[in-house]
Amino acid sequence: MTEYSRRALLRGGAALAAAAPALSSVSVQAAAAVSPNAGNPALDALSSMTGDARFITDEERAQRRAKLSGLLAENGAYAALIEGGSSLDYFTGVKWYLSERITAAVITADGGLTFITPAFEESRLSEMAGAADEILTWEEDQDPYVMLAAWLRKNSPKAGTVALDEAVRYFVAFRLGEAAKDWTIRSAAPEVNGCRVFKTASEIALMKKASAITIAAYRAVYPLIEKGMSGPDISALMKDAQTRLGGERPAGGAQVDKGSALPHGSREPEYVRDGSVVLMDFGCGVDGYRSDISRTFVVGEPTREQRRVWDLVRRGQDLAFATAKPGVPAGQVDAAVRALYEDEGFGPGFQVPGLSHRLGHGIGLDVHEPINFVGNEKTPLQPGMCFSNEPGIYIPGSYGVRVEDCIYITESGAGWFSQPPPSIERPMG
């Protein structure tokens, strides 16, 4: 046990003992080991930042469905099938977890909204799906795919096309294809992405709030990081802080020293010491909309080479921001930064030491969405598109630096969801 872990155990145990004096000392220590942040004054001082957040309304979801219907009609499809997940939430507000039984929405080109679900789920679904025109139900001894195929034939004058959201599972697509052999089954990516890729002012405001929460958590946790901590120790602090600040489903991780040289980290334990490089990558949600922010710092005085790498990463981030303008192919943003790093001796391409991953990804209700900042992405940038901007330089066996803030495209260029840090001495801004 490290010195930090021992102190956290004692601090948490003392807090729990004060709150519940009837607990035995063994129970207190066991509980503190699970929740080492109990009784941390810096975290206890945090409170929710979401009181002024404006959540997505039913009217906005109706507008989204209308846009989807228009795209389906334009592309010659009769309906889109959407299972539980972020797209179902986006278009209907229904939050539904997947099981072996199909529950899905069918949005038609003429503006209809129908759900299919097991009969025993009807009352629960009805509470969420107030905008539904119809809910089809099936008993356990019935075939929902035969039922859905019959519904399609009844409601469409001729066999047509059903477009499936990309998150629809293979067995659902296969069974529907068997039951509706006279229909064409294809991906709904052109229509669904044609809606979801372009964020409205309401969506951007929620993502700004999620980003503000993550930044506030970084600033609260940064002074708490001390020698002897592991990546999981830091992660526990960040997730706790984001939750206290009102963030939904906080996620991410922290990597120390050699682990920071791997973009998604290592399971090999590393502990903070003098001179350590710590790379933190965290985010949370507000009304489902995500933040994704990375920060890297050195414990103590950075070396000249660490400072050079950190500054170069930030130059790349600013270059990406300046390049990301309407009409520019998304891949060109990645190419500009990669060329800069190669000029400075890193790479070439995805080789390390250098930038081993794409420069960024789309973001919204999902942390990773289309479109990507990567070389083969030809899609031109348009207002409303949102991306992570996360250049990194990774030196295997030593350390890595990544600084990540998300951006949104406007008519005149890019805007920041969170302000990048100014220097390695002020890594949290």
Side-chain angles (χ1 to χ4, degrees), residues 77 174 283 392:
F174 181 80

Side-chain angles (χ1 to χ4, degrees), residues 275-277 297-308 310 424-425:
S276 284
V277 174
F297 63 93
V298 177
V299 178
E301 183 67 24
T303 67
R304 178 179 299 180
E305 182 63 11
Q306 288 170 340
R307 186 185 302 278
R308 182 179 88 88
W310 196 99
I424 196 170
E425 287 83 12

Side-chain angles (χ1 to χ4, degrees), residues 43-53 55 209 213 216 241-248 285-286:
L43 296 183
D44 289 343
L46 303 178
S47 60
S48 177
M49 297 172 59
T50 62
D52 60 346
F55 288 3
K209 178 64 72 174
I213 288 171
Q242 289 182 104
T243 298
R244 292 172 188 247
L245 290 162
E248 304 164 350
V286 174

